[in-house]
Amino acid sequence: MYSAPSPQEFSEGDDADIICDVVSSPPPAIIWKHKGSKIQVAKDVRFRIMGNGHLQIRGIKKTDEGMYNCEARVMARGEIDFRMIKVVVNVLPTIRARQSEVNATADVGNSALLACDADGFPEPTVTWAHNNIVLETGDKYSLNEDGSELVIKDVKKVDEGDYTCIAKNKAGEKAEEVSLNVFVQPKITYLNNQTASEFDEKVILTCEASGDPTPDISWSFENRVFTEGQQASWTRPDKYESLDRNIVVRSHARVSSLTLKNVQFTYAGQYLCTANNSIGQDNQQMYLEVRYAPKILGPVTAYTWEGNPANISCEVEAHPGASVVWFRDGLQLPSANVTNTKIYNTPTISYLEITPESQNDFGSYNCTATNVMGTESKEFLLIQAEVPSSPEIQQVEPFSSTAVVEFEEPDSMGGVPIIKYRVEWRLPGQAWNGRVYDAEEGEITIVDLKPETTYEVRMSAINGKGEGERSPASTFKTEPVREPSAPKLEVKVQNRGNSLKVNWIKQDDGGSPIKHYLVRYKAHTSHWKPEIRLPNGSEYVVLSGLDWNTEYEIHVVAENQQGKSEPGILSFRTAIEPTTIPAKPASGLGTGAIVGILIVVFFLLLVGVDVTCYFLNKCGLLMCIAVNFCGKAGPGAKSKDIEEGKAAFTKDESKEPIVEVRTEEEHIPNQEGGGPTEPNETTPLTEPEPAAADTTSTVVNLLPSTATNSVTESFSTAHSSPASESTMLTTSASSPTKVAPAKSSPQNSPVAQSSSVKANTQPDVGPLVDLSDTPKVPHSSNPIPPVSGPVSLPSANADGLQSQCDPVKAPDSTQNKDLQVDGPAKDAPNALCTDSTTPAQNEYEHFHFHIPQLVTSILVASQ
């Protein structure tokens, strides 16, 4: 009997006792096998077979895991039995933190990741704990699937501390600590505005800030910075002078104080407290208000002259603001006795405008400013201005036709600025020539002088009061005629950075007119470009297409009859080539889309025009398709053409159609008569008011019955003149037995100004076009016989209706016949003549005609 459970689990490193209990009598011998081999306890001291038959493995290893065979033998009976036992070795977890310390910043919405990796058998489970509390996934924490990663959301300072990573399986558990360090950006928590009065003993400004690491706090005012231990006197903002301890900065923990001693009004303003640590920085401002009595600033003297207004400015600084009052000899201004003064006030300056009328208006004026802190007064002087003293000519630099005067300004300005200088020059003993120059010009140049000539020159200064004394005359002599002086150059960059506009200022022309200017330029590393010649009077040249970011040297030379001047030289570097910024896609349609839309619109417009032409004028692409592929004209073609024909006839009654009858023969071997016949007569059709008696028969002769005829019509119209058109009618008819009378309505009668009829016959061919376009009427018992020969339509004269047709040479009845009708009518409409006696032939008959003219002619004939 066996008792050998399987599997049996042990922890790695333990002394394993593998149980195999066998009950037998006599007791069996126990043999242990592993991996098919007998365990030799004598060779491996770790293995031992116990007295009860158990197998002991000291310090079992993972490699000892596997199947063990417990075999029992009873040699007396020859019995052998065994059991297979599975041995499982569990391994205690090992754990390793990826980072033993993790840093994070608080209050900025960041997350912190803590991670550890665990191994073991079986696979260990990983949990996290903080302050002995197991952490679970929620709003604050997030764990991945195997628990190895812990995410702490929205890190705060309270999240700082140690976090324990715990790995646990059957073999046991292991733990590892991970520290989370939470740093806090500096934040100023206390800083208030302060108020002080001038000359107070001191004022203390306090700034508190939080943060981890503890922030350093500093103070700044305008462009001065104060830190702990610094002391400075309050003089100039950018200068430290003595250690008089008027300004002291002290810091303790997270609090800093700025002490200002002996408060001055200049201490007022914005102070900046800055807290700074390794994580970040925070700034906050406060305002120090200093209350002080008025202080009057600015110059105390003003100059003017009688009749010229002058402003005396009283600039006041005070807090709170001060009221300003002006006095003159103890009397407040303006007063009833003083009418030539006005006062203008601004928040900081009060202006007293005085227009002196006499010497008594010059003198002292008092400005008094008052606020709750005190009063300040100041005397201002209004002084009579004088004309300036004379300037001193130091040197005259002569050229051939110009001279440059160098001088010293007058010693006395007269109290008001100099605005102009008057310069006079002359030939010795002659009258003075002069010119006034603005004082802002700086340099005075006398022009239009004669070469190699002696001149005298003198100067005077002019201010608002008037012109001062003239300086003593100085003598100079101009140079002989020579080449011009070099032009002075200046350059301006054009809109594009690689284009330059070079301007020059004309200097002395050397006593001879300048003929032209020569310009050349080059890049410093290349050769000169071709010389540019510009006419006299030119003042600039534009150089385009220059290389980007390149130094250029430009020379400009003036030339007169004596030769060329020295070049005016200028160096300039072009701009750096701008980088092309890709254009943002436009929100609207692109160019391609717009072009496509225009093409579609244009195509639709063409289709619309073509459809309109098809229905109204019977032309265009649709008309061609209808005729060539469908074998018919467009809708309303007949009625349209009839109306046009009628309109054409009634439009100009003076141009009445004339029918010219011609007979043409095609040459046939057995034909009599040989060649074609020529037209022989033109016959008027009708008189103005024809009778309608024979209209039916006339139309019948012209239009044979469609029951037995096949007609093919085509149109060809010659436009040689407005009154003459040519149309060919070709018909193929078998011998007609019945002719349906046609109505004489003008709307249903075709007409032609000139027609040619060619008749052939073909039996049993259905009609292609019904030319009559009229309803059938019952045949009379005596049908109209076919006409064998030329037949003329009736025409009316003064006596009545008369039918007439001029004879034409008639070919054989089997031959094709052409009837040519053309020419305008003079006095009356012409009659149409047709020949319907030709026999049937095996070919189609073709009518070539223009419907409007044919309708008109038949209309006239029917009348």
Side-chain angles (χ1 to χ4, degrees):
M1 178 180 176
Y2 271 91
S3 176
S6 179
Q8 298 182 35
E9 296 187 16
F10 307 94
S11 295
E12 186 179 32
D14 291 349
D15 291 339
D17 185 4
I18 303 175
I19 299 174
C20 182
D21 292 327
V22 182
V23 178
S24 176
S25 180
I30 305 298
I31 299 174
W32 288 89
K33 295 181 180 179
H34 179 51
K35 296 181 181 179
S37 299
K38 182 180 179 181
I39 295 175
Q40 302 291 333
V41 295
K43 295 182 179 180
D44 192 340
V45 295
R46 294 189 309 115
F47 291 90
R48 178 184 174 189
I49 299 176
M50 308 295 289
N52 56 4
H54 296 181
L55 176 64
Q56 184 185 61
I57 305 176
R58 297 188 182 96
I60 192 170
K61 301 177 182 179
K62 185 64 176 176
T63 56
D64 297 329
E65 191 176 60
M67 299 299 296
Y68 285 79
N69 185 354
C70 175
E71 183 177 303
R73 295 183 179 185
V74 179
M75 300 304 296
R77 293 195 298 269
E79 294 180 1
I80 299 177
D81 199 359
F82 64 92
R83 292 288 185 273
M84 298 299 295
I85 302 172
K86 181 179 180 180
V87 175
V88 177
V89 179
N90 295 323
V91 179
L92 187 69
T94 59
I95 192 168
R96 179 181 57 84
R98 297 180 190 174
Q99 288 180 294
S100 60
E101 289 190 3
V102 176
N103 297 329
T105 302
D107 304 322
V108 292
N110 291 344
S111 299
L113 173 65
L114 311 182
C116 64
D117 298 315
D119 293 320
F121 186 85
E123 185 75 20
T125 59
V126 179
T127 57
W128 289 85
H130 178 55
N131 295 333
N132 297 322
I133 299 174
V134 177
L135 307 180
E136 297 179 353
T137 298
D139 294 337
K140 183 64 178 179
Y141 304 102
S142 175
L143 294 166
N144 65 347
E145 292 182 359
D146 60 4
S148 61
E149 295 181 353
L150 170 67
V151 177
I152 304 173
K153 305 174 186 178
D154 191 16
V155 176
K156 304 291 183 182
K157 183 63 178 176
V158 295
D159 296 325
E160 189 174 54
D162 293 333
Y163 289 78
T164 305
C165 177
I166 303 170
K168 183 177 182 180
N169 64 6
K170 292 181 179 180
E173 68 178 36
K174 280 289 184 72
E176 184 76 16
E177 298 288 340
V178 178
S179 297
L180 175 63
N181 301 318
V182 178
F183 298 98
V184 181
Q185 290 184 334
K187 184 175 180 60
I188 295 175
T189 57
Y190 177 84
L191 184 66
N192 292 333
N193 295 333
Q194 295 283 343
T195 301
S197 296
E198 189 178 25
F199 308 124
D200 283 351
E201 181 180 356
K202 65 180 179 181
V203 60
I204 299 175
L205 312 181
T206 302
C207 181
E208 295 181 6
S210 62
D212 190 8
T214 301
D216 297 325
I217 301 176
S218 62
W219 293 86
S220 61
F221 176 76
E222 296 178 348
N223 58 345
R224 292 185 64 185
V225 178
F226 306 106
T227 57
E228 183 180 4
Q230 288 190 348
Q231 300 165 351
S233 64
W234 200 276
T235 54
R236 297 179 59 85
D238 56 351
K239 183 179 180 181
Y240 291 94
E241 289 186 351
S242 62
L243 301 177
D244 56 9
R245 304 184 66 83
N246 278 344
I247 302 172
V248 178
V249 178
R250 289 189 176 90
S251 295
H252 176 70
R254 293 178 171 84
V255 181
S256 177
S257 63
L258 174 65
T259 302
L260 306 175
K261 299 180 180 180
N262 300 323
V263 178
Q264 304 294 324
F265 78 97
T266 53
Y267 289 3
Q270 295 280 354
Y271 286 78
L272 180 68
C273 175
T274 301
N276 184 67
N277 65 9
S278 59
I279 305 303
Q281 178 177 292
D282 188 26
N283 299 311
Q284 193 168 324
Q285 289 183 336
M286 60 84 61
Y287 185 81
L288 174 62
E289 178 185 1
V290 178
R291 300 161 61 90
Y292 56 95
K295 301 182 183 300
I296 299 177
L297 310 175
V300 297
T301 58
Y303 291 85
T304 188
W305 56 93
E306 294 177 5
N308 182 65
N311 285 330
I312 300 177
S313 301
C314 181
E315 183 178 355
V316 179
E317 289 188 0
H319 184 72
S323 60
V324 179
V325 179
W326 288 91
F327 295 93
R328 166 74 167 170
D329 296 334
L331 299 177
Q332 183 175 344
L333 299 178
S335 66
N337 297 330
V338 181
T339 60
N340 59 344
T341 61
K342 296 179 182 179
I343 297 175
Y344 303 96
N345 291 319
T346 69
T348 58
I349 303 177
S350 179
Y351 297 96
L352 174 63
E353 181 187 286
I354 306 171
T355 304
E357 297 175 351
S358 65
Q359 186 64 34
N360 293 331
D361 293 327
F362 295 94
S364 176
Y365 291 82
N366 177 271
C367 175
T368 300
T370 304
N371 70 357
V372 296
M373 301 300 295
T375 300
E376 176 82 6
S377 294
K378 197 170 190 178
E379 297 291 327
F380 290 85
L381 295 177
L382 182 63
I383 303 173
Q384 173 85 297
E386 302 291 341
V387 295
S389 60
S390 63
E392 180 182 352
I393 298 177
Q394 291 187 326
Q395 179 183 353
V396 178
E397 184 179 1
F399 298 94
S400 297
S401 61
T402 61
V404 177
V405 180
E406 299 178 3
F407 63 95
E408 283 284 343
E409 291 184 348
D411 294 334
S412 173
M413 302 290 183
V416 291
I418 294 176
I419 55 178
K420 294 182 183 296
Y421 288 98
R422 184 185 301 278
V423 179
E424 297 175 303
W425 65 92
R426 70 175 181 178
L427 295 173
Q430 296 187 10
W432 290 95
N433 297 316
R435 179 184 168 188
V436 176
Y437 297 82
D438 289 335
E440 297 177 353
E441 292 184 12
E443 184 178 271
I444 293 178
T445 302
I446 305 173
V447 297
D448 298 330
L449 302 179
K450 295 180 180 180
E452 207 169 359
T453 303
T454 300
Y455 287 90
E456 293 178 341
V457 62
R458 65 184 183 182
M459 291 182 62
S460 59
I462 303 172
N463 65 8
K465 179 68 181 293
E467 184 176 354
E469 296 180 356
R470 293 181 177 87
S471 67
S474 297
T475 302
F476 67 93
K477 183 178 181 180
T478 56
E479 297 288 336
V481 177
R482 58 179 181 82
E483 66 278 358
S485 298
K488 289 186 178 180
L489 307 184
E490 57 183 21
V491 66
K492 295 181 180 179
V493 180
Q494 298 297 94
N495 291 335
R496 288 181 56 83
N498 64 339
S499 296
L500 302 178
K501 181 180 181 181
V502 182
N503 296 65
W504 54 81
I505 302 174
K506 174 185 174 182
Q507 301 300 302
D508 186 76
D509 60 7
S512 176
I514 292 176
K515 297 191 298 182
H516 47 250
Y517 291 95
L518 304 176
V519 181
R520 62 177 184 164
Y521 65 98
K522 69 170 183 176
H524 277 189
T525 57
S526 62
H527 301 290
W528 290 102
K529 302 293 183 181
E531 190 174 64
I532 303 172
R533 184 184 297 265
L534 298 173
N536 178 28
S538 301
E539 296 180 349
Y540 68 89
V541 65
V542 177
L543 306 178
S544 302
L546 305 178
D547 295 334
W548 295 99
N549 194 25
T550 303
E551 190 80 19
Y552 277 90
E553 182 178 343
I554 304 166
H555 287 193
V556 179
V557 174
E559 184 175 2
N560 63 7
Q561 291 183 350
Q562 298 299 315
K564 299 179 180 179
S565 69
E566 291 295 323
I569 302 175
L570 181 69
S571 294
F572 190 86
R573 176 174 289 275
T574 55
I576 299 175
E577 183 175 8
T579 56
T580 303
I581 301 176
K584 296 182 179 180
S587 59
L589 296 176
T591 303
I594 294 175
V595 171
I597 292 174
L598 291 178
I599 292 175
V600 171
V601 171
F602 182 69
F603 176 76
L604 294 177
L605 182 62
L606 288 180
V607 171
V609 171
D610 192 68
V611 171
T612 303
C613 292
Y614 174 71
F615 283 100
L616 297 181
N617 298 330
K618 310 306 169 293
C619 60
L621 182 62
L622 289 177
M623 186 64 186
C624 293
I625 294 174
V627 172
N628 294 328
F629 293 95
C630 300
K632 61 180 180 180
K638 296 181 180 180
S639 60
K640 175 69 178 179
D641 291 342
I642 292 173
E643 291 175 0
E644 290 181 354
K646 183 175 180 180
F649 177 76
T650 58
K651 183 177 181 182
D652 189 356
E653 296 181 354
S654 63
K655 297 181 180 180
E656 299 183 359
I658 298 175
V659 178
E660 181 179 353
V661 181
R662 299 178 183 174
T663 303
E664 296 179 1
E665 296 181 354
E666 296 181 1
H667 183 69
I668 301 176
N670 58 357
Q671 179 185 353
E672 297 180 2
T677 60
E678 295 296 331
N680 55 11
E681 190 172 345
T682 299
T683 305
L685 291 175
T686 63
E687 289 299 324
E689 294 182 357
D694 296 330
T695 301
T696 303
S697 62
T698 302
V699 176
V700 169
N701 288 335
L702 180 64
L703 303 172
S705 172
T706 57
T708 56
N709 298 341
S710 67
V711 180
T712 302
E713 58 186 17
S714 62
F715 314 107
S716 64
T717 304
H719 300 283
S720 59
S721 68
S724 175
E725 295 184 1
S726 177
T727 305
M728 175 171 286
L729 300 176
T730 306
T731 181
S732 174
S734 60
S735 298
T737 59
K738 296 181 180 180
V739 177
K743 293 183 180 180
S744 60
S745 173
Q747 297 179 355
N748 298 324
S749 301
V751 67
Q753 290 183 359
S754 72
S755 304
S756 173
V757 181
K758 181 177 180 181
N760 294 318
T761 61
Q762 181 175 353
D764 302 331
V765 177
L768 297 180
V769 176
D770 186 356
L771 294 180
S772 63
D773 197 27
T774 58
K776 304 292 183 177
V777 298
H779 301 298
S780 63
S781 57
N782 295 323
I784 300 174
V787 180
S788 60
V791 179
S792 64
L793 296 174
S795 62
N797 52 25
D799 299 330
L801 182 65
Q802 180 179 356
S803 176
Q804 181 181 356
C805 183
D806 294 336
V808 185
K809 182 177 180 180
D812 185 74
S813 61
T814 60
Q815 296 177 349
N816 296 334
K817 298 177 182 180
D818 292 337
L819 177 62
Q820 182 72 27
V821 182
D822 57 353
K826 293 183 179 179
D827 299 326
N830 293 333
L832 294 176
C833 299
T834 59
D835 187 359
S836 57
T837 59
T838 56
Q841 297 181 1
N842 293 330
E843 60 180 354
Y844 287 100
E845 177 180 358
H846 301 281
F847 284 82
H848 298 280
F849 62 98
H850 189 275
I851 289 178
Q853 285 73 15
L854 185 58
V855 170
T856 303
S857 297
I858 295 180
L859 256 177
V860 173
S862 65
Q863 294 175 357

